[in-house]
Structure formats: C-alpha cells, structure tokens
Amino acid sequence: MPLPVPVLPEGVDPAWLPPAAFRAVGGRRTLIRGSGPLVETVHGEMAEACRRFGGRVVRDASDDGPYDLVLAVSAGDLGEEGFTVVREGGTTTVTASGGRGLLYGLFHVVRLGAAAFTGERSQETHRPALATRMLDHWDNVAVHPVMGQVERGYAGGSLFWEDGRARGDLQRVRAYGRLLAACGINAISVNNVNVHATEARLLTDRIGEVAEIAGALRPYGIRTHLSVSFAAPIVLGGLSTADPLEAAVRSWWAEATRRVYEAVPDFGGYVVKADSEGQPGPFAYGRSHADGANMLAAALEPFGGTVHWRAFVYDHRQDWRDRSTDRARAAYDHFVPLDGEFAPNAVLQVKHGPMDFQVREPVSPLIGAMPRTRLAVELQVTQEYTGQQRHVCWLGPMWSEVLRFRPEERSVGALARGGLVAVSNAGDDPFWTGHPLAQANLYTYGRLAWQPDAEPREVLDEWIGLSFPDAPARLADGLHAVLDGSWRTYEKYTAPLGVGFMVQPGHHYGPSVDGYEYSPWGTYHFADRDGIGVDRSAATGTGYAGQYAKPWAEVYESPDTCPDELLLFFHHVSYGHTLTSGKTVIQHIYDTHFDGVEEVEAAREVWAGLVDLVDPARHTRVTELFEEQLRSAREWRDQVNSYFFRKSGVPDAHGRRIY
Ligand code: BDP
C-alpha cells in the first residue's frame, strides 16, 4: 500500500519540498518495481505528484509500457543507499538495491526536474560517501529553566516534544523526516546531549515515546538515536556506581539496551557527552573514555547499534590566571592516547574545531591523529555562534573548507569514517529554522554529508531550485548575492582573525569584548595595550600547533606562515604586525568591521529588491530579521573597533569615526 505523503499543518512552510518541485516528475507514466516499506514511501510520493500534476503510477507491470519513469529495486551491489540513473529511449530509469536507495534516487530526479526527462543521459551511479549522516537535536522534553526547550535552539520549540511528552500528532515529524531524506540525512538523535532527569528516562520507562517518534521517521529511512546519561545505572537503575568495568553496571546497560530494541528494533544507538561541562563520565571511577564507550558498545553490539562518544572533553573550571592550560589542546590530549582502543561499533564524535563552533577555527588536529578509531566529525547547523538565526549566515563554504582540509594525505571528509553529525537548527517554527534563509544551512549540511567534496555553491543552487521552483533568474541571483558571502561577512564584523569568543557569556548573542576574558571557560584573547592573540606555538606557547602533522605543525608554528584568518588563534602579535594581506592587524580589524556592516546593508538592499518575487510572509520575516542583523552588526563594529582603538591608541588610517 502506498504510504501517503505527510500533510503539513496549516501555515507551515514546505521548505525545499513545495508541491511545485514535483511538477516534472508528476505528469508521467511511472513504473515502480520492488517491495518493502520504503518502496511504499516512494509510491506514496509518486501518487501524490500524479494527483497534482496528472500522470499515473503502475506497480510491477512488465508489459503495458512504455514509461517515462521507471523506479526499480533490483538485486545489485549499490548498497542500501546507492542508486543509478540513466535515460534512454525516452525512459528515465532509477535503479537501486534497496528501498532507501530508491527514495534517494527519486529525490535526485526531483532535483533534476525537467532535465531528468530531456535528451539522453548516460548511466550515473550515486552513493553516499559517508554511511552515517546524522542530526543531533539538543531538545529537552521538559522546558529547561535556563536553556528553554531546545538548547541553543533559535526556531521555536521542539519538533518532537510538547507539553512534557512526545507529540501526539506526529505529522510534522513525518514531514521533517521527508525533508531530511530529500537532502540525504539518515539518522537523528532526539534529545539533548546534556541529559537532564526527565530526558534520562527516555532510555527506560519512556522508551515508548521514542518508539513513536522512530515510527514517524522510519518511512523516510531515518534511524533514531538517543542521548543517554553515563550515570543512568545510578539515576535510573538504583545502583551505587556507574563504573564501566563493574559487572552489575554492564549487565544493567545490556538489559536496558535489550528493552530499547524491543521497543525500537532498528534503533541507531546512543550519543554520550561524558566528563564534559558537568556531565557524568568514567573519570569518576578512574576509567578511561575507551572503557566508557566500549561498555556501551558492548551493550549495543548484539543489536547492530552504535555508540557516538563525544570528544568534547575539557576543563571548564580553569583558572584564567594560569596560562598552562589550553582548552584547544584538550580533545587531542585526552583521546589520542586511546587510539586503537575503541570497539568497532564505537564512534568518536569530534567537533570540527578544537574550541567550540566559532565562526573561524582551525580544523581539530584530533581528526588526523586517530587512524585506528572510527571518527565522526560534528558540525553546528544551529547558529549558536554565527548569528542565532537572526543573521543571515550560510555556512556551506565554511563546512566545505573543513571537509576538504587535509590534516594529512586524506581530507577530513575521507577521515570521517564514522560519519558526519551536526546539531540541528530546526524547531516548530512555521519556517522550521526561524530565519527562512537558514533552511539553506540544513539542506547544505545534508548534501555535504552525502558528498563532502560537493561544490557548496552548486548545493545552494539545488536548494534555490527546489525551494523556489518557478523563480526567475533574478531571484536566484538575488539569493546568491545575499547568501554566498554571508559567512565571511559575519566573520568580518565579529571577533577578528580567528580569536573567537568575544560574545555575551551565557546566551552567546552579540558582542562582549571581554565577556569571557576572566572566566573559567578557557576562551581568552589576551588583548592588552601592545597586542592580541593566543600563543599556541610549540616554541613559546601552549604547544597546540605541535599537535598537527606536517605540514600544518610548521605552517601554524610561525606567524609568518600562519594563514591570516587564523593568526590570532595561533599567535599573540602586536597591533602593528603586518598580515600577508599587507595590512596591519589593527587596520585589518577596523577595515573588516566597517566593511562587514556595509555588506549587511548591501544584502538588505538586495533582499528589499526581491519583494515582488518572494511570498509576503517569507519576505517580511527576512526583512525584519535584516533590521536586527544590521543593528547587531553595527553594535559589533562599534564595540570591537572602540575596544581595540582604546587598547592600542592607533587611529584608523582612513579617519572614520570610532567611538
Ligand atoms: C556548546 C554549547 C552548549 C553545549 C555544548 C556541547 O554552548 O550548550 O552543551 O556546546 O557541545 O557550544 O555539548
């Protein structure tokens, strides 16, 4: 039986799957071959497209052709997710070895649109580069007094949880799964990595609610995962310890996991934040993080599950007066000695940078340093440090730089054998992502997880083509003008040259030049009257630069070879230091801050000019947000420029106003 396409609640934006995106596939004679639940999903999609645009769908017929479109599952070596597309003799044929591959193939044809049905097309094979393409939701079931319902969420409440339990009506969750499948995501973790008391129980007596959500996501090929508390045996099981080598603890986890699989047979596994920012972990028992991860891996192994163990482990209570601790070093120092000790179904989940999702960080040296460990790389789609979905900041170019970076002979995209993971930016907002243009980040993330070396601008073209199917070229050009350079624009008006963390403590929105400077969090810029930046060289600094393999250890070691954009991450330099661009550091700071604000003004103008091409609700929302972005960008510019002018006493070479 074809599975009906989820119906969006009134007023919810269809994002990159508006009905019109299916126009080209709709009016056709289509044959679907194969069986299984995901084939029913594909059939449902085609049935809906034909209902709107004419055409008809036939199942498993062999003789009443010809067909415009054939979608066929047949035995082959394409894996569960791969597919081929070919067009000959007027028929476009998608072949897959499994239902998920067929679904991805259908969405591929939707992306191609009319081009999928013109001329001839020689056979192309598509397979995801990474097997796990996951979104972590930092959602709380209960509203947290400080963090709200979605920690670092800027798009309303949770898509999964409402009034303290799983949503009764899961249509929206099904629709979310559909959007995610259309950009290639195949795994979700449904609760916050900071596991509070209510959420801890999802593992045990509230697993039924997780099963309901998993049931809504399954038809779109998405496996459900859960964040669990390392202290669960104590908190939920009444044991006196959570020591991973203790037999009673191990059997508690084995039994809890068996029950999870009873409720959710295709459950993906656990996500664990341990010994990090106050979360419990194996250190309390003198055990290593491999001991901790492997215990959970052992519990999951009989059922084919995976533990995603996060490498975000550092001292968040450090003494800012003591310069011997460098937070950037922490993940490498903790985990590299454990390389080779993790179980095959344990994945070490590493943030892409060594600090914490700043607008500019070097790639974490850990990613190239654990060849015998399955690593997943973690990105942040939610814009915690990049404008909180009030600023336009398309992160495709940044992620692409990260994924193409070669810590050694292989790229990050190739080293991420455990997959790509990202913190979701979606919530129950009518536009899903608060800022309507932040949808582009979610889409781009999924597509880069499928193909890490994809050209981000081409991915953006796909997003534009799907989201605005009938748009004239002027709209596409306008969207590119607004989005393409937005990450670099954001970088220009915020913390300079990779120094990071000049944000308001706590909520992290807006500037606070010394907000974290004398705090215990390990995020300092060391600006004084002579200069700024953190000396992380091996020769005179914290030694962090020495954690890289060659050539990077050498490139980063010296301020002469360190790339400008990372200079203050690696070096403490004088305000008069000359960058490779030829400018001094102080003049660079002034110039980029003036330029950044002008770029926001220009983008706002471009957007205003698109008013006749964008639906009013979306246009108005973005227009309002541009006002806030501009206000905030000016605030950043003025505070950062004044701060450095007052510290350095060096006037702007162009005599512009600095307060
Ligand atoms: C930081 C967030 C915090 C998260 C933490 C994490 O500020 O809310 O809990 O990352 O990744 O960026 O665990």
Side-chain angles (χ1 to χ4, degrees):
M1 280 292 287
L3 187 76
V5 170
V7 179
L8 279 178
E10 192 60 31
V12 173
D13 184 58
W16 51 87
L17 291 182
F22 290 80
R23 183 171 292 129
V25 297
R28 314 272 165 188
R29 283 158 301 154
T30 299
L31 170 66
I32 299 178
R33 284 187 200 280
S35 60
L38 269 86
V39 176
E40 302 311 325
T41 301
V42 169
H43 189 170
E45 289 287 342
M46 285 309 305
E48 173 64 15
C50 292
R51 190 183 67 76
R52 280 182 191 273
F53 300 108
R56 71 191 168 91
V57 189
V58 174
R59 284 292 287 271
D60 295 308
S62 54
D63 50 13
D64 65 346
Y67 299 99
D68 303 301
L69 177 61
V70 175
L71 300 162
V73 174
S74 72
D77 57 359
L78 293 163
E80 178 58 25
E81 301 191 309
F83 60 90
T84 60
V85 194
V86 63
R87 178 167 173 83
E88 47 197 21
T91 303
T92 302
T93 304
V94 175
T95 309
S97 315
R100 261 197 290 159
L102 198 66
L103 182 65
Y104 295 138
L106 169 62
F107 284 128
H108 181 80
V109 172
V110 171
R111 274 195 296 274
L112 292 173
F117 301 98
T118 36
E120 302 274 294
R121 182 175 280 269
S122 52
Q123 180 169 307
E124 301 161 17
T125 303
H126 296 264
R127 282 194 192 90
L130 305 176
T132 302
R133 305 175 300 278
M134 180 163 174
L135 276 177
D136 282 3
H137 276 258
W138 287 355
D139 295 16
N140 299 313
V141 178
V143 176
H144 185 269
V146 180
M147 288 297 169
Q149 187 173 30
V150 180
E151 182 155 338
R152 312 309 181 184
Y154 314 105
S158 170
L159 284 165
F160 307 121
W161 315 102
E162 188 182 43
D163 298 332
R165 58 152 286 124
R167 279 179 189 275
D169 178 1
L170 292 169
Q171 280 290 320
R172 181 97 193 255
V173 174
R174 292 187 54 212
Y176 184 52
R178 179 172 182 248
L179 281 175
L180 298 185
C183 65
I185 289 164
N186 66 1
I188 285 190
S189 166
V190 293
N191 64 310
N192 194 355
V193 288
N194 296 313
V195 184
H196 309 294
T198 305
E199 291 73 26
R201 287 174 47 202
L202 295 173
L203 173 65
T204 51
D205 59 313
R206 298 187 61 168
I207 190 67
E209 294 170 59
V210 178
E212 288 165 21
I213 294 168
L217 295 170
R218 186 175 295 119
Y220 282 94
I222 292 167
R223 278 176 96 176
T224 297
H225 300 239
L226 204 56
S227 289
V228 296
S229 168
F230 194 77
I234 302 173
V235 186
L236 303 170
L239 301 190
S240 59
T241 175
D243 183 345
L245 300 191
E246 190 67 51
V249 172
R250 299 177 74 84
S251 57
W252 187 87
W253 277 109
E255 176 59 12
T257 306
R258 191 185 64 70
R259 287 172 189 265
V260 168
Y261 277 89
E262 249 169 39
V264 189
D266 59 349
F267 180 69
Y270 300 137
V271 177
V272 188
K273 172 176 179 177
D275 291 316
S276 170
E277 300 182 335
Q279 293 298 306
F283 285 161
Y285 310 98
R287 308 301 184 196
S288 79
H289 276 230
D291 293 333
N294 290 345
M295 169 189 64
L296 297 177
L300 289 159
E301 195 275 331
F303 309 99
T306 302
V307 57
H308 283 85
W309 188 270
R310 297 179 81 226
F312 186 56
V313 179
Y314 72 99
D315 178 7
H316 71 293
R317 294 209 181 98
Q318 70 185 71
D319 181 346
W320 58 268
R321 295 163 300 186
D322 169 9
R323 290 203 179 197
S324 68
T325 322
D326 178 5
R327 173 167 162 181
R329 292 187 55 118
Y332 182 105
D333 286 344
H334 282 300
F335 287 98
V336 170
L338 302 177
D339 189 27
E341 292 184 22
F342 287 91
N345 63 326
V347 165
L348 188 64
Q349 186 168 313
V350 186
K351 288 193 183 187
H352 66 85
M355 297 295 280
D356 196 4
F357 299 137
Q358 298 302 289
V359 67
R360 178 72 72 167
E361 290 189 36
V363 167
S364 169
L366 187 56
I367 295 170
M370 297 191 69
R372 292 177 298 150
T373 305
R374 275 175 74 196
L375 291 186
V377 173
E378 184 180 312
L379 309 175
Q380 197 181 40
V381 183
T382 194
Q383 290 171 240
E384 176 177 4
Y385 294 101
T386 50
Q388 302 201 347
Q389 280 138 257
R390 284 182 255 182
H391 297 222
V392 180
C393 187
W394 176 54
L395 294 164
M398 170 166 105
W399 298 331
S400 176
E401 275 186 24
V402 167
L403 293 166
R404 291 177 193 211
F405 181 80
R406 293 176 175 271
E408 24 121 315
E409 62 273 15
R410 295 199 298 152
S411 68
V412 168
L415 290 164
R417 288 185 295 125
L420 201 62
V421 181
V423 187
S424 175
N425 66 349
D428 70 0
D429 168 70
F431 289 102
W432 301 90
T433 52
H435 200 304
L437 300 180
Q439 290 175 2
N441 279 330
L442 187 54
Y443 183 86
T444 303
Y445 163 68
R447 297 290 290 142
L448 288 177
W450 180 281
Q451 192 194 336
D453 62 358
E455 202 49 65
R457 218 172 162 278
E458 287 170 16
V459 174
L460 193 58
D461 273 332
E462 285 178 15
W463 175 77
I464 293 170
L466 286 171
S467 305
F468 307 93
D470 303 313
R474 182 161 66 85
L475 178 58
D477 293 347
L479 287 165
H480 274 295
V482 167
L483 286 163
D484 285 1
S486 55
W487 164 55
R488 283 171 199 280
T489 297
Y490 186 85
E491 179 179 31
K492 284 181 185 171
Y493 60 77
T494 57
L497 296 167
V499 83
F501 284 98
M502 295 183 117
V503 287
Q504 293 277 345
H507 58 68
H508 298 163
Y509 185 73
S512 177
V513 285
D514 280 331
Y516 275 107
E517 201 55 19
Y518 309 104
S519 81
W521 292 90
T523 49
Y524 314 121
H525 54 64
F526 299 115
D528 60 21
R529 64 183 181 178
D530 299 317
I532 177 172
V534 193
D535 184 356
R536 294 192 161 107
S537 67
T540 56
T542 69
Y544 168 78
Q547 291 184 336
Y548 289 86
K550 282 181 187 169
W552 301 111
E554 287 167 357
V555 168
Y556 295 144
E557 178 66 16
S558 160
D560 299 332
T561 50
C562 183
D564 284 351
E565 67 272 13
L566 289 170
L567 185 67
L568 303 182
F569 193 93
F570 283 99
H571 297 283
H572 186 87
V573 297
S574 71
Y575 294 113
H577 175 93
T578 307
L579 298 167
T580 53
S581 69
K583 285 186 187 178
T584 60
V585 165
I586 190 76
Q587 194 57 42
H588 172 95
I589 292 174
Y590 296 151
D591 288 351
T592 50
H593 284 76
F594 285 113
D595 290 352
V597 171
E598 283 177 16
E599 288 170 18
V600 176
E601 286 165 349
R604 187 183 60 155
E605 285 313 301
V606 171
W607 182 259
L610 301 177
V611 63
D612 55 321
L613 300 179
V614 178
D615 61 280
R618 191 188 317 260
H619 197 272
T620 306
R621 171 83 73 103
V622 174
T623 301
E624 287 165 6
L625 288 166
F626 259 125
E627 292 309 309
E628 166 53 19
Q629 180 174 1
L630 189 54
R631 184 207 62 76
S632 174
R634 288 178 177 145
E635 181 178 46
W636 272 100
R637 174 196 64 193
D638 292 341
Q639 292 194 20
V640 170
N641 280 352
S642 295
Y643 178 77
F644 287 109
F645 174 60
R646 292 178 190 179
K647 285 267 172 190
S648 69
V650 180
D652 172 37
H654 306 296
R656 287 164 293 193
R657 180 156 188 204
I658 294 178
Y659 294 84

